[in-house]
């Protein structure tokens, strides 16, 4: 799991809890059903207007899962693993690839295509299509969370305005003004917390996962095609090194 995401979410909650404790620890005064309804109900319905229900129900859990998930294997490890596959294919032939144990499912699928004798065009087209589908799903999840993050502060302001209307309507009773104003401000608080501590960070993390997935799958596809075309392991490795950072290339050169 991505420890950074977990620490970020837990840390955000901890910051709020600590501040409430410093101010006396009265958590009850920060709970208001009107604010909950306007923030969560309003943000969800506004997002529902933008996207179909099925997209929302699929995008919310997928985005949260993507934000928590770590890459199965780093780009550097992918290059090393593909180089190993190329060496086996060069020395023992494509049929020997069936016996290899490969942790990454995408790479394992590409190796299976080689072992089964599929041509390079079929392999590239199929794996590119799967890559585009994964990319589109992550992009969909990112847009859902970004949409909720955009709507939540706006509905927080709407809740505050509704509270102020109620407050001005009760100006004849000064004892009600304080509680009504507090409830109005809680809506703004909820909107800011939902947007800036949950939704927008998860949307940005999904965007980062999209970039990671794009690089990893590009490495796999190019490596598999080169192995299918019977290129030498050294050529395969040198071509894939272009995807790595200068730091990773330096470390691999030292290790070699």
């Amino acid at each position: 799991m991505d420890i950074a995401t977990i620490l970020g979410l837990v840390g955000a909650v901890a910051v709020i809890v600590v501040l409430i404790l410093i101010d006396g620890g009265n958590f009850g005064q920060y709970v208001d059903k009107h604010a909950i309804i306007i923030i969560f109900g309003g943000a969800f319905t506004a997002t529902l207007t933008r996207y179909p229900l099925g997209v929302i129900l699929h995008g919310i859990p997928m985005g949260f899962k993507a934000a928590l998930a770590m890459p199965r294997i780093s780009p550097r490890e992918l290059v090393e693993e593909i180089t190993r596959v190329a060496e086996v294919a060069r020395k023992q032939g494509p049929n020997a690839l069936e016996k290899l144990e490969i942790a990454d499912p995408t790479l394992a699928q590409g190796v299976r295509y080689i072992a089964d004798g599929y041509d390079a065009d079929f392999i590239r087209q199929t794996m590119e299509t799967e890559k585009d589908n994964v990319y589109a799903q992550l992009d969909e999840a990112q847009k859902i969370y970004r949409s909720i993050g955009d709507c939540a502060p706006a509905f927080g302001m709407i809740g505050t305005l509704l509270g102020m209307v109620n407050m001005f309507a009760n100006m004849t009773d000064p004892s009600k003004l304080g509680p009504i104003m507090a409830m109005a401000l809680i809506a703004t608080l909820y909107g800011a917390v939902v947007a800036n501590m949950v939704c927008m960070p998860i949307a940005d993390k999904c965007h980062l996962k999209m970039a990671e997935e794009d690089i990893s799958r590009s490495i796999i596809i190019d490596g598999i095609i080169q192995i299918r075309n019977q290129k030498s392991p050294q050529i395969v490795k040198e071509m894939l090194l272009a995807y790595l950072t200068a730091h990773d290339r330096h470390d691999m050169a030292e290790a070699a």
Side-chain angles (χ1 to χ4, degrees):
M1 298 182 71
D2 192 338
I3 190 66
T5 302
I6 298 173
L7 289 176
L9 294 175
V10 173
V13 174
V15 167
I16 296 176
V17 170
V18 169
L19 289 176
I20 294 175
L21 290 174
I22 291 174
D23 291 336
N26 185 4
F27 289 92
Q29 69 181 3
Y30 293 95
V31 179
D32 181 68
K33 61 179 180 296
H34 300 88
I36 293 174
I37 292 173
I38 190 66
I39 294 301
F40 292 98
F44 180 79
T45 53
T47 304
L48 189 61
T49 305
R50 296 183 180 184
Y51 303 99
L53 178 60
V55 173
I56 296 175
L57 296 179
H58 176 260
I60 290 177
M62 181 176 182
F64 191 74
K65 180 180 178 181
L68 291 177
M70 284 291 289
R72 290 181 294 270
I73 183 170
S74 68
R76 175 181 171 179
E77 293 171 329
L78 271 177
V79 173
E80 293 173 344
E81 183 72 2
I82 293 172
T83 303
R84 181 177 72 89
V85 172
E87 291 173 349
V88 172
R90 185 66 176 266
K91 294 177 181 178
Q92 304 178 30
N95 292 334
L97 299 179
E98 295 180 352
K99 302 177 182 179
L100 287 180
E101 293 185 2
I102 299 174
D104 187 88
T106 305
L107 178 56
Q109 181 187 39
V111 170
R112 180 177 61 82
Y113 286 154
I114 297 175
D116 290 343
Y118 290 100
D119 63 80
D121 290 338
F122 172 85
I123 295 174
R124 179 176 292 280
Q125 182 177 356
T126 302
M127 298 188 75
E128 287 282 0
T129 300
E130 292 179 355
K131 170 187 169 183
D132 292 341
N133 286 337
V134 172
Y135 196 89
Q137 291 176 11
L138 287 173
D139 185 51
E140 182 179 275
Q142 173 205 197
K143 289 178 179 178
I144 295 298
Y145 276 94
R146 204 171 296 282
S147 175
I148 297 174
D150 289 340
C151 294
F155 277 96
M157 184 58 66
I158 291 173
T160 299
L161 293 174
L162 291 174
M164 292 182 67
V165 170
N166 192 19
M167 182 184 69
F168 287 123
N170 289 274
M171 289 292 287
T172 55
D173 188 355
S175 63
K176 294 182 178 180
L177 298 183
I180 293 175
M181 189 61 188
M183 288 189 294
L185 293 176
I186 287 175
T188 299
L189 172 64
Y190 283 7
V193 168
V194 169
N196 297 290
M197 288 188 170
V198 181
C199 291
M200 299 306 286
I202 290 180
D204 290 338
K205 184 58 72 74
C206 287
H207 182 75
L208 178 63
K209 299 295 184 182
M210 289 167 59
E212 293 175 350
E213 194 73 25
D214 183 51
I215 292 175
S216 295
R217 288 181 177 263
S218 295
I219 290 174
I220 292 173
I221 293 171
D222 286 347
I224 289 296
I225 294 302
Q226 294 302 312
I227 296 172
R228 175 62 181 82
N229 291 335
Q230 301 180 348
K231 299 296 183 181
S232 71
Q234 189 60 31
I235 291 177
V236 174
K237 181 179 180 180
E238 288 296 330
M239 188 197 73
L240 298 182
L241 286 176
Y243 285 102
L244 303 184
T245 63
H247 176 73
D248 283 339
R249 290 198 296 268
H250 177 72
D251 287 348
M252 289 187 69
E254 286 189 343

